[in-house]
Amino acid sequence: MARETFPFTSSTLRSLRLQQEWLEWEDRRRAAAQQCRSRRCPSSPRARLTRPHRSCRDPAVHHALFSGNLQQVQALFQDEEAANMIVETVSNQLAWSAEQGFWVLTPKTKQTAPLAIATARGYTDCARHLIRQGAELDARVGGRAALHEACARAQFDCVRLLLTFGAKANVLTEEGTTPLHLCTIPESLQCAKLLLEAGATVNLAAGESQETPLHVAAARGLEQHVALYLEHGADVGLRTSQGETALNAACAGAEGPGSCRRHQAAARRLLEAGADARAAGRKRHTPLHNACANGCGGLAELLLRYGARAEVPNGAGHTPMDCALQAVQDAPNWEPEVLFAALLDYGAQPVRPEMLKHCANFPRALEVLLNAYPCVPSCETWVEAVLPELWKEHEAFYSSALCMVNQPRQLQHLARLAVRARLGSRCRQGATRLPLPPLLRDYLLLRVEGCIQ
């Protein structure tokens, strides 16, 4: 009966489609066998055709796999065909409907393999049963193999099981990433070690992005992963398709005080291994630009110690100081005075007076910037930006700044600027080497005092 004359249900249509695929496979198999017999040659592996995998949406199968019920898995998966079935799940996701003009719940079908489900959730016994029943270790149902899923979830025991049974350590996803690329959380360190011991290629670049595992680990601030990859020969000079090195990735990924500390440790590992602190990526953005844009004073100082240049502009003409000023507005919960002092100590020029308004509500940072001038510039560009409650809280500082506008500074301050100008970009190192008392050394390095004199 034609489909147009009878209202087939979706399940019936699905069964018919699977039956048609099966019949087509049988026809191809018989044709190949007949051709081989006609040539009077034995069957070869190339002549064998792969049987199409069946799809399944049975809730009982889903429950057994996702809950890790070993008895049910053993009962349901008793042969190679069952172990290699395609498991389909349907979930409703919000999607924008241009026709209706609002967000609607849209069903999305996802395909995966039983072995991928078991290994992603750490069900080692279930995974072992599926493998013994003939589950394909490197099958990429839905774009990923079981080893990818196990590494992404840091399932150490399952990773070891798969590698023991012969899973390929460099198996690629459809996007061209390896399991090593998916070791993206601290708990996945042991998985990365297993992969490298099994022959994973540490410098293998991923698909279009050309990211290496070192780029991935650096971008997430995974210091131990970075150290591991460097021990296995990771190249710190490799670049992504956007021209970014692993050091660029580490500095770009540092967001927030806690994240800055992690990424600073990863960046230190890279710099000690020979990473270039001046290497500019896309749009001539250097690691220092990225660190300043994220407000990471400690990371910026580390880069400056390893040769990063504080006065170099990026493709848009912005210096690291410009990026730091923007970060004050974007991430206010940090100590910008640390970053400003580091940049000035390594040769950055004082900011343009009109830019002082960006840090008007950060008195400690404003003090550092004002002390980089031989004379306090006009306050008209920033005084109106100060919040009234903040002015009241720090009235002593703001009043001292107002009183010194266009007034001669103390001889002590002018001498400080003269010494700093003489030392130039070596001010931070020079101050620590000069035989100065600690208080005088701190004063030379723009110590915050709470007033302008």
Side-chain angles (χ1 to χ4, degrees):
M1 182 177 294
R3 183 182 305 179
E4 292 78 6
T5 60
F6 188 83
F8 286 98
T9 64
S10 58
S11 59
T12 302
L13 291 174
R14 184 174 185 79
S15 299
L16 290 173
R17 180 173 61 81
L18 291 174
Q19 185 178 9
Q20 182 179 2
E21 291 178 356
W22 183 263
L23 293 174
E24 290 175 354
W25 175 83
E26 281 289 341
D27 291 340
R28 292 196 301 272
R29 184 188 64 78
R30 291 173 181 172
Q34 179 63 33
Q35 183 179 9
C36 192
R37 285 194 298 269
S38 64
R39 294 179 180 179
R40 296 182 180 180
C41 64
S43 178
S44 65
R46 291 186 178 181
R48 302 189 189 112
L49 296 176
T50 302
R51 179 179 296 181
H53 296 162
R54 294 182 178 273
S55 299
C56 175
R57 291 187 180 182
D58 191 334
V61 174
H62 290 186
H63 179 268
L65 290 171
F66 285 100
S67 65
N69 190 315
L70 180 59
Q71 292 183 347
Q72 291 183 4
V73 169
Q74 291 173 337
L76 292 169
F77 299 91
Q78 298 183 359
D79 53 32
E80 181 178 349
E81 181 183 355
N84 288 300
M85 71 170 57
I86 298 175
V87 179
E88 288 190 350
T89 58
V90 180
S91 60
N92 290 324
Q93 297 183 3
L94 283 175
W96 177 258
S97 173
E99 296 180 357
Q100 302 181 42
F102 53 82
W103 293 87
V104 295
L105 285 174
T106 303
K108 183 176 181 180
T109 302
K110 180 180 179 181
Q111 292 185 338
T112 186
L115 185 59
I117 296 174
T119 53
R121 285 154 183 79
Y123 302 144
T124 311
D125 292 337
C126 294
R128 184 179 292 106
H129 172 75
L130 292 169
I131 293 173
R132 288 174 174 171
Q133 297 306 311
E136 298 177 14
L137 295 173
D138 300 318
R140 297 184 305 175
V141 181
R144 286 186 176 185
L147 192 56
H148 294 118
E149 300 292 353
C151 290
R153 301 284 189 91
Q155 301 293 354
F156 171 76
D157 290 334
C158 287
V159 171
R160 180 170 55 187
L161 176 71
L162 291 168
L163 293 173
T164 301
F165 275 92
K168 296 178 181 177
N170 288 316
V171 61
L172 299 178
T173 66
E174 289 184 351
E175 292 77 22
T177 58
T178 67
L180 207 57
H181 284 92
L182 297 176
C183 295
T184 57
I185 58 177
E187 295 78 11
S188 65
L189 179 63
Q190 297 303 318
C191 298
K193 290 181 179 179
L194 286 176
L195 290 169
L196 291 169
E197 291 172 0
T201 304
V202 73
N203 287 318
L204 189 61
E208 294 182 1
S209 70
Q210 290 296 292
E211 287 184 332
T212 66
L214 188 63
H215 284 96
V216 176
R220 287 161 177 76
L222 301 176
E223 179 192 3
Q224 297 303 317
H225 287 68
V226 169
L228 176 66
Y229 298 156
L230 291 174
E231 291 174 1
H232 284 78
D235 187 348
V236 296
L238 293 179
R239 294 177 179 264
T240 66
S241 58
Q242 298 296 323
E244 306 289 333
T245 65
L247 185 59
N248 289 98
C251 297
E255 298 180 357
S259 177
C260 284
R261 287 190 289 272
R262 295 195 307 272
H263 287 76
Q264 182 178 340
R268 181 179 290 106
R269 295 276 190 175
L270 294 168
L271 290 165
E272 291 173 350
D276 185 2
R278 300 183 182 184
R282 187 172 60 93
K283 299 183 180 179
R284 290 163 50 192
H285 221 57
T286 67
L288 185 58
H289 283 95
N290 287 322
C292 291
N294 288 326
C296 297
L299 179 54
E301 184 178 350
L302 174 67
L303 294 167
L304 290 164
R305 288 204 306 269
Y306 275 86
R309 298 178 61 185
E311 73 282 3
V312 173
N314 60 15
H318 298 151
T319 65
M321 181 67 82
D322 295 327
C323 295
L325 286 169
Q326 183 62 43
V328 175
Q329 303 295 318
D330 297 338
N333 297 321
W334 55 289
E335 298 177 343
E337 66 273 12
V338 175
L339 178 53
F340 292 147
L343 290 171
L344 291 169
D345 287 344
Y346 281 90
Q349 297 299 311
V351 302
R352 300 187 303 275
E354 61 269 19
M355 302 298 289
L356 293 173
K357 61 184 178 181
H358 292 293
C359 55
N361 290 302
F362 298 86
R364 293 175 61 87
L366 183 60
E367 179 181 343
V368 169
L369 295 179
L370 290 177
N371 280 332
Y373 299 98
C375 181
V376 176
S378 173
C379 63
E380 295 178 356
T381 59
W382 60 265
V383 68
E384 294 182 355
V386 181
L387 298 174
E389 59 273 18
L390 196 64
W391 185 286
K392 184 177 180 179
E393 182 181 354
H394 299 277
E395 185 174 359
F397 164 74
Y398 287 117
S399 297
S400 68
L402 288 178
C403 293
M404 293 303 298
V405 171
N406 296 324
Q407 297 297 316
R409 297 291 297 269
Q410 290 183 346
L411 182 60
Q412 182 179 352
H413 172 70
L414 297 178
R416 169 170 62 178
L417 292 185
V419 174
R420 290 177 61 86
R422 180 67 177 175
L423 294 174
S425 60
R426 297 171 297 172
C427 187
R428 183 67 63 95
Q429 300 97 316
T432 58
R433 296 175 183 176
L434 291 173
L436 300 173
L439 289 177
L440 188 55
R441 183 187 65 240
D442 293 342
Y443 179 78
L444 180 61
L445 296 176
L446 304 178
R447 179 187 67 239
V448 175
E449 297 179 327
C451 65
I452 301 294
Q453 298 179 354

PDB file of all heavy atoms in Angstrom, residues 1 31 40-41 79 97 145 174 203 205 213 242 289 292 294 299 301 303-304 308 334 337 354 356 380 383 409 415:
ATOM      1  N   MET A   1       0.855  -1.194   0.000  1.00  0.00           N
ATOM      2  CA  MET A   1       0.000   0.000   0.000  1.00  0.00           C
ATOM      3  C   MET A   1       0.886   1.237   0.000  1.00  0.00           C
ATOM      4  O   MET A   1       1.863   1.319   0.738  1.00  0.00           O
ATOM      5  CB  MET A   1      -0.920  -0.005   1.217  1.00  0.00           C
ATOM      6  CG  MET A   1      -1.877   1.177   1.254  1.00  0.00           C
ATOM      7  SD  MET A   1      -3.006   1.067   2.666  1.00  0.00           S
ATOM      8  CE  MET A   1      -3.923  -0.391   2.205  1.00  0.00           C
ATOM      9  N   ALA A  31      25.785  -9.425  -3.888  1.00  0.00           N
ATOM     10  CA  ALA A  31      26.434  -9.028  -5.146  1.00  0.00           C
ATOM     11  C   ALA A  31      27.944  -9.127  -5.020  1.00  0.00           C
ATOM     12  O   ALA A  31      28.638  -9.577  -5.948  1.00  0.00           O
ATOM     13  CB  ALA A  31      26.029  -7.596  -5.502  1.00  0.00           C
ATOM     14  N   ARG A  40      36.665 -16.448  -8.863  1.00  0.00           N
ATOM     15  CA  ARG A  40      37.318 -17.594  -8.237  1.00  0.00           C
ATOM     16  C   ARG A  40      38.442 -17.156  -7.304  1.00  0.00           C
ATOM     17  O   ARG A  40      39.566 -17.653  -7.351  1.00  0.00           O
ATOM     18  CB  ARG A  40      37.876 -18.539  -9.305  1.00  0.00           C
ATOM     19  CG  ARG A  40      36.800 -19.156 -10.153  1.00  0.00           C
ATOM     20  CD  ARG A  40      37.386 -20.115 -11.161  1.00  0.00           C
ATOM     21  NE  ARG A  40      36.333 -20.719 -11.977  1.00  0.00           N
ATOM     22  CZ  ARG A  40      36.558 -21.593 -12.941  1.00  0.00           C
ATOM     23  NH1 ARG A  40      37.820 -21.980 -13.211  1.00  0.00           N
ATOM     24  NH2 ARG A  40      35.561 -22.088 -13.636  1.00  0.00           N
ATOM     25  N   CYS A  41      38.124 -16.173  -6.466  1.00  0.00           N
ATOM     26  CA  CYS A  41      39.103 -15.709  -5.494  1.00  0.00           C
ATOM     27  C   CYS A  41      38.474 -15.757  -4.118  1.00  0.00           C
ATOM     28  O   CYS A  41      37.260 -15.613  -3.977  1.00  0.00           O
ATOM     29  CB  CYS A  41      39.563 -14.286  -5.807  1.00  0.00           C
ATOM     30  SG  CYS A  41      38.250 -13.073  -5.689  1.00  0.00           S
ATOM     31  N   ASP A  79      24.807  -9.534  21.856  1.00  0.00           N
ATOM     32  CA  ASP A  79      25.552  -9.855  20.639  1.00  0.00           C
ATOM     33  C   ASP A  79      26.145  -8.570  20.072  1.00  0.00           C
ATOM     34  O   ASP A  79      25.919  -7.466  20.570  1.00  0.00           O
ATOM     35  CB  ASP A  79      24.658 -10.531  19.594  1.00  0.00           C
ATOM     36  CG  ASP A  79      23.398  -9.731  19.289  1.00  0.00           C
ATOM     37  OD1 ASP A  79      23.463  -8.481  19.360  1.00  0.00           O
ATOM     38  OD2 ASP A  79      22.363 -10.352  19.006  1.00  0.00           O
ATOM     39  N   SER A  97      12.412  31.243  16.899  1.00  0.00           N
ATOM     40  CA  SER A  97      11.578  31.056  15.719  1.00  0.00           C
ATOM     41  C   SER A  97      11.374  32.413  15.052  1.00  0.00           C
ATOM     42  O   SER A  97      10.699  33.293  15.607  1.00  0.00           O
ATOM     43  CB  SER A  97      10.222  30.448  16.110  1.00  0.00           C
ATOM     44  OG  SER A  97       9.362  30.406  14.993  1.00  0.00           O
ATOM     45  N   ALA A 145      33.905   9.420  19.645  1.00  0.00           N
ATOM     46  CA  ALA A 145      34.109   8.039  20.043  1.00  0.00           C
ATOM     47  C   ALA A 145      33.991   7.924  21.561  1.00  0.00           C
ATOM     48  O   ALA A 145      33.957   8.934  22.280  1.00  0.00           O
ATOM     49  CB  ALA A 145      35.484   7.545  19.584  1.00  0.00           C
ATOM     50  N   GLU A 174      34.573  14.367  14.654  1.00  0.00           N
ATOM     51  CA  GLU A 174      34.247  14.903  13.331  1.00  0.00           C
ATOM     52  C   GLU A 174      34.864  16.279  13.123  1.00  0.00           C
ATOM     53  O   GLU A 174      35.123  16.696  11.996  1.00  0.00           O
ATOM     54  CB  GLU A 174      32.730  14.975  13.160  1.00  0.00           C
ATOM     55  CG  GLU A 174      32.070  13.614  13.006  1.00  0.00           C
ATOM     56  CD  GLU A 174      30.581  13.721  12.753  1.00  0.00           C
ATOM     57  OE1 GLU A 174      30.046  14.838  12.869  1.00  0.00           O
ATOM     58  OE2 GLU A 174      29.962  12.688  12.435  1.00  0.00           O
ATOM     59  N   ASN A 203      51.483  17.224  19.926  1.00  0.00           N
ATOM     60  CA  ASN A 203      51.475  18.421  19.081  1.00  0.00           C
ATOM     61  C   ASN A 203      50.470  18.339  17.936  1.00  0.00           C
ATOM     62  O   ASN A 203      50.557  19.112  16.980  1.00  0.00           O
ATOM     63  CB  ASN A 203      52.874  18.668  18.513  1.00  0.00           C
ATOM     64  CG  ASN A 203      53.837  19.192  19.565  1.00  0.00           C
ATOM     65  OD1 ASN A 203      53.474  20.042  20.381  1.00  0.00           O
ATOM     66  ND2 ASN A 203      55.064  18.681  19.563  1.00  0.00           N
ATOM     67  N   ALA A 205      47.426  19.157  15.911  1.00  0.00           N
ATOM     68  CA  ALA A 205      46.534  20.313  15.858  1.00  0.00           C
ATOM     69  C   ALA A 205      45.128  19.869  15.478  1.00  0.00           C
ATOM     70  O   ALA A 205      44.938  18.935  14.697  1.00  0.00           O
ATOM     71  CB  ALA A 205      47.047  21.340  14.853  1.00  0.00           C
ATOM     72  N   PRO A 213      46.723  20.381  22.166  1.00  0.00           N
ATOM     73  CA  PRO A 213      46.357  20.176  23.568  1.00  0.00           C
ATOM     74  C   PRO A 213      46.988  21.205  24.503  1.00  0.00           C
ATOM     75  O   PRO A 213      46.400  21.573  25.518  1.00  0.00           O
ATOM     76  CB  PRO A 213      46.854  18.759  23.854  1.00  0.00           C
ATOM     77  CG  PRO A 213      46.780  18.068  22.526  1.00  0.00           C
ATOM     78  CD  PRO A 213      47.165  19.111  21.529  1.00  0.00           C
ATOM     79  N   GLN A 242      44.389  31.386  14.106  1.00  0.00           N
ATOM     80  CA  GLN A 242      44.316  32.816  14.356  1.00  0.00           C
ATOM     81  C   GLN A 242      45.666  33.413  14.743  1.00  0.00           C
ATOM     82  O   GLN A 242      45.755  34.581  15.120  1.00  0.00           O
ATOM     83  CB  GLN A 242      43.305  33.098  15.474  1.00  0.00           C
ATOM     84  CG  GLN A 242      41.884  32.689  15.156  1.00  0.00           C
ATOM     85  CD  GLN A 242      41.298  33.479  14.006  1.00  0.00           C
ATOM     86  OE1 GLN A 242      41.555  34.669  13.863  1.00  0.00           O
ATOM     87  NE2 GLN A 242      40.506  32.820  13.182  1.00  0.00           N
ATOM     88  N   HIS A 289      48.778  42.450  26.265  1.00  0.00           N
ATOM     89  CA  HIS A 289      47.485  43.089  25.991  1.00  0.00           C
ATOM     90  C   HIS A 289      46.350  42.271  26.620  1.00  0.00           C
ATOM     91  O   HIS A 289      45.430  42.835  27.234  1.00  0.00           O
ATOM     92  CB  HIS A 289      47.251  43.216  24.484  1.00  0.00           C
ATOM     93  CG  HIS A 289      48.010  44.327  23.832  1.00  0.00           C
ATOM     94  ND1 HIS A 289      49.235  44.126  23.229  1.00  0.00           N
ATOM     95  CD2 HIS A 289      47.736  45.649  23.693  1.00  0.00           C
ATOM     96  CE1 HIS A 289      49.668  45.275  22.736  1.00  0.00           C
ATOM     97  NE2 HIS A 289      48.770  46.214  22.990  1.00  0.00           N
ATOM     98  N   CYS A 292      46.405  42.522  30.495  1.00  0.00           N
ATOM     99  CA  CYS A 292      45.916  43.834  30.946  1.00  0.00           C
ATOM    100  C   CYS A 292      44.417  43.976  30.724  1.00  0.00           C
ATOM    101  O   CYS A 292      43.710  44.551  31.554  1.00  0.00           O
ATOM    102  CB  CYS A 292      46.666  44.946  30.216  1.00  0.00           C
ATOM    103  SG  CYS A 292      48.409  45.080  30.679  1.00  0.00           S
ATOM    104  N   ASN A 294      42.301  41.723  30.952  1.00  0.00           N
ATOM    105  CA  ASN A 294      41.635  40.926  31.979  1.00  0.00           C
ATOM    106  C   ASN A 294      41.951  41.400  33.392  1.00  0.00           C
ATOM    107  O   ASN A 294      41.499  40.778  34.356  1.00  0.00           O
ATOM    108  CB  ASN A 294      42.024  39.452  31.834  1.00  0.00           C
ATOM    109  CG  ASN A 294      41.377  38.800  30.621  1.00  0.00           C
ATOM    110  OD1 ASN A 294      40.255  39.138  30.258  1.00  0.00           O
ATOM    111  ND2 ASN A 294      42.086  37.891  29.989  1.00  0.00           N
ATOM    112  N   LEU A 299      50.041  38.555  36.478  1.00  0.00           N
ATOM    113  CA  LEU A 299      50.371  37.948  35.193  1.00  0.00           C
ATOM    114  C   LEU A 299      51.089  38.948  34.294  1.00  0.00           C
ATOM    115  O   LEU A 299      52.060  38.600  33.608  1.00  0.00           O
ATOM    116  CB  LEU A 299      49.087  37.450  34.518  1.00  0.00           C
ATOM    117  CG  LEU A 299      49.224  36.801  33.138  1.00  0.00           C
ATOM    118  CD1 LEU A 299      50.231  35.660  33.173  1.00  0.00           C
ATOM    119  CD2 LEU A 299      47.866  36.306  32.652  1.00  0.00           C
ATOM    120  N   GLU A 301      52.935  41.493  35.273  1.00  0.00           N
ATOM    121  CA  GLU A 301      54.295  41.670  35.785  1.00  0.00           C
ATOM    122  C   GLU A 301      55.188  40.498  35.383  1.00  0.00           C
ATOM    123  O   GLU A 301      56.363  40.682  35.049  1.00  0.00           O
ATOM    124  CB  GLU A 301      54.261  41.821  37.304  1.00  0.00           C
ATOM    125  CG  GLU A 301      55.624  42.110  37.911  1.00  0.00           C
ATOM    126  CD  GLU A 301      55.570  42.316  39.407  1.00  0.00           C
ATOM    127  OE1 GLU A 301      54.443  42.429  39.953  1.00  0.00           O
ATOM    128  OE2 GLU A 301      56.640  42.357  40.032  1.00  0.00           O
ATOM    129  N   LEU A 303      54.936  38.664  32.660  1.00  0.00           N
ATOM    130  CA  LEU A 303      55.260  38.835  31.246  1.00  0.00           C
ATOM    131  C   LEU A 303      56.305  39.924  31.048  1.00  0.00           C
ATOM    132  O   LEU A 303      57.223  39.784  30.227  1.00  0.00           O
ATOM    133  CB  LEU A 303      53.987  39.183  30.468  1.00  0.00           C
ATOM    134  CG  LEU A 303      52.921  38.091  30.400  1.00  0.00           C
ATOM    135  CD1 LEU A 303      51.609  38.663  29.881  1.00  0.00           C
ATOM    136  CD2 LEU A 303      53.376  36.936  29.510  1.00  0.00           C
ATOM    137  N   LEU A 304      56.176  41.007  31.807  1.00  0.00           N
ATOM    138  CA  LEU A 304      57.140  42.101  31.690  1.00  0.00           C
ATOM    139  C   LEU A 304      58.538  41.663  32.113  1.00  0.00           C
ATOM    140  O   LEU A 304      59.534  42.060  31.517  1.00  0.00           O
ATOM    141  CB  LEU A 304      56.661  43.285  32.533  1.00  0.00           C
ATOM    142  CG  LEU A 304      55.422  44.011  32.000  1.00  0.00           C
ATOM    143  CD1 LEU A 304      54.803  44.897  33.065  1.00  0.00           C
ATOM    144  CD2 LEU A 304      55.780  44.827  30.758  1.00  0.00           C
ATOM    145  N   ALA A 308      58.231  41.214  27.837  1.00  0.00           N
ATOM    146  CA  ALA A 308      57.091  41.856  27.172  1.00  0.00           C
ATOM    147  C   ALA A 308      57.282  43.373  27.192  1.00  0.00           C
ATOM    148  O   ALA A 308      57.811  43.934  28.152  1.00  0.00           O
ATOM    149  CB  ALA A 308      55.790  41.484  27.868  1.00  0.00           C
ATOM    150  N   TRP A 334      38.949  44.232  41.498  1.00  0.00           N
ATOM    151  CA  TRP A 334      40.347  43.844  41.564  1.00  0.00           C
ATOM    152  C   TRP A 334      41.155  45.059  41.978  1.00  0.00           C
ATOM    153  O   TRP A 334      40.606  46.111  42.288  1.00  0.00           O
ATOM    154  CB  TRP A 334      40.821  43.258  40.230  1.00  0.00           C
ATOM    155  CG  TRP A 334      40.599  44.138  39.049  1.00  0.00           C
ATOM    156  CD1 TRP A 334      39.407  44.444  38.466  1.00  0.00           C
ATOM    157  CD2 TRP A 334      41.584  44.854  38.297  1.00  0.00           C
ATOM    158  NE1 TRP A 334      39.574  45.287  37.407  1.00  0.00           N
ATOM    159  CE2 TRP A 334      40.906  45.559  37.279  1.00  0.00           C
ATOM    160  CE3 TRP A 334      42.970  44.952  38.360  1.00  0.00           C
ATOM    161  CZ2 TRP A 334      41.558  46.352  36.348  1.00  0.00           C
ATOM    162  CZ3 TRP A 334      43.620  45.742  37.430  1.00  0.00           C
ATOM    163  CH2 TRP A 334      42.923  46.429  36.444  1.00  0.00           C
ATOM    164  N   GLU A 337      45.661  49.286  40.780  1.00  0.00           N
ATOM    165  CA  GLU A 337      46.910  50.006  41.051  1.00  0.00           C
ATOM    166  C   GLU A 337      48.129  49.103  40.880  1.00  0.00           C
ATOM    167  O   GLU A 337      49.208  49.558  40.509  1.00  0.00           O
ATOM    168  CB  GLU A 337      46.888  50.615  42.455  1.00  0.00           C
ATOM    169  CG  GLU A 337      46.860  49.631  43.603  1.00  0.00           C
ATOM    170  CD  GLU A 337      45.461  49.199  43.981  1.00  0.00           C
ATOM    171  OE1 GLU A 337      44.525  49.489  43.218  1.00  0.00           O
ATOM    172  OE2 GLU A 337      45.313  48.570  45.044  1.00  0.00           O
ATOM    173  N   GLU A 354      42.876  62.949  29.797  1.00  0.00           N
ATOM    174  CA  GLU A 354      41.448  62.704  29.576  1.00  0.00           C
ATOM    175  C   GLU A 354      41.056  61.262  29.895  1.00  0.00           C
ATOM    176  O   GLU A 354      39.861  60.964  30.036  1.00  0.00           O
ATOM    177  CB  GLU A 354      41.059  63.051  28.141  1.00  0.00           C
ATOM    178  CG  GLU A 354      41.771  62.254  27.077  1.00  0.00           C
ATOM    179  CD  GLU A 354      43.054  62.921  26.598  1.00  0.00           C
ATOM    180  OE1 GLU A 354      43.564  63.789  27.337  1.00  0.00           O
ATOM    181  OE2 GLU A 354      43.510  62.583  25.495  1.00  0.00           O
ATOM    182  N   LEU A 356      41.981  59.698  32.649  1.00  0.00           N
ATOM    183  CA  LEU A 356      41.931  59.505  34.103  1.00  0.00           C
ATOM    184  C   LEU A 356      40.515  59.255  34.607  1.00  0.00           C
ATOM    185  O   LEU A 356      40.323  58.683  35.677  1.00  0.00           O
ATOM    186  CB  LEU A 356      42.525  60.727  34.813  1.00  0.00           C
ATOM    187  CG  LEU A 356      44.023  60.960  34.614  1.00  0.00           C
ATOM    188  CD1 LEU A 356      44.437  62.294  35.222  1.00  0.00           C
ATOM    189  CD2 LEU A 356      44.822  59.822  35.234  1.00  0.00           C
ATOM    190  N   GLU A 380      39.405  68.478  35.703  1.00  0.00           N
ATOM    191  CA  GLU A 380      38.089  68.627  35.086  1.00  0.00           C
ATOM    192  C   GLU A 380      37.664  67.374  34.325  1.00  0.00           C
ATOM    193  O   GLU A 380      36.473  67.130  34.162  1.00  0.00           O
ATOM    194  CB  GLU A 380      38.097  69.831  34.145  1.00  0.00           C
ATOM    195  CG  GLU A 380      38.303  71.167  34.855  1.00  0.00           C
ATOM    196  CD  GLU A 380      38.341  72.325  33.881  1.00  0.00           C
ATOM    197  OE1 GLU A 380      38.291  72.059  32.650  1.00  0.00           O
ATOM    198  OE2 GLU A 380      38.429  73.473  34.329  1.00  0.00           O
ATOM    199  N   VAL A 383      37.039  64.645  37.827  1.00  0.00           N
ATOM    200  CA  VAL A 383      36.433  64.919  39.129  1.00  0.00           C
ATOM    201  C   VAL A 383      34.919  64.736  39.111  1.00  0.00           C
ATOM    202  O   VAL A 383      34.318  64.286  40.097  1.00  0.00           O
ATOM    203  CB  VAL A 383      36.810  66.338  39.599  1.00  0.00           C
ATOM    204  CG1 VAL A 383      36.143  67.403  38.719  1.00  0.00           C
ATOM    205  CG2 VAL A 383      36.448  66.538  41.062  1.00  0.00           C
ATOM    206  N   ARG A 409      55.156  70.282  42.465  1.00  0.00           N
ATOM    207  CA  ARG A 409      55.231  69.116  43.338  1.00  0.00           C
ATOM    208  C   ARG A 409      56.474  69.209  44.220  1.00  0.00           C
ATOM    209  O   ARG A 409      57.400  69.983  43.952  1.00  0.00           O
ATOM    210  CB  ARG A 409      55.288  67.824  42.513  1.00  0.00           C
ATOM    211  CG  ARG A 409      54.069  67.551  41.657  1.00  0.00           C
ATOM    212  CD  ARG A 409      52.840  67.221  42.496  1.00  0.00           C
ATOM    213  NE  ARG A 409      53.003  66.009  43.264  1.00  0.00           N
ATOM    214  CZ  ARG A 409      52.662  64.795  42.839  1.00  0.00           C
ATOM    215  NH1 ARG A 409      52.142  64.650  41.633  1.00  0.00           N
ATOM    216  NH2 ARG A 409      52.820  63.741  43.627  1.00  0.00           N
ATOM    217  N   ALA A 415      62.530  64.291  42.253  1.00  0.00           N
ATOM    218  CA  ALA A 415      63.714  63.440  42.253  1.00  0.00           C
ATOM    219  C   ALA A 415      63.325  61.994  41.935  1.00  0.00           C
ATOM    220  O   ALA A 415      64.046  61.277  41.225  1.00  0.00           O
ATOM    221  CB  ALA A 415      64.414  63.531  43.608  1.00  0.00           C
TER     222      ALA A 415
END
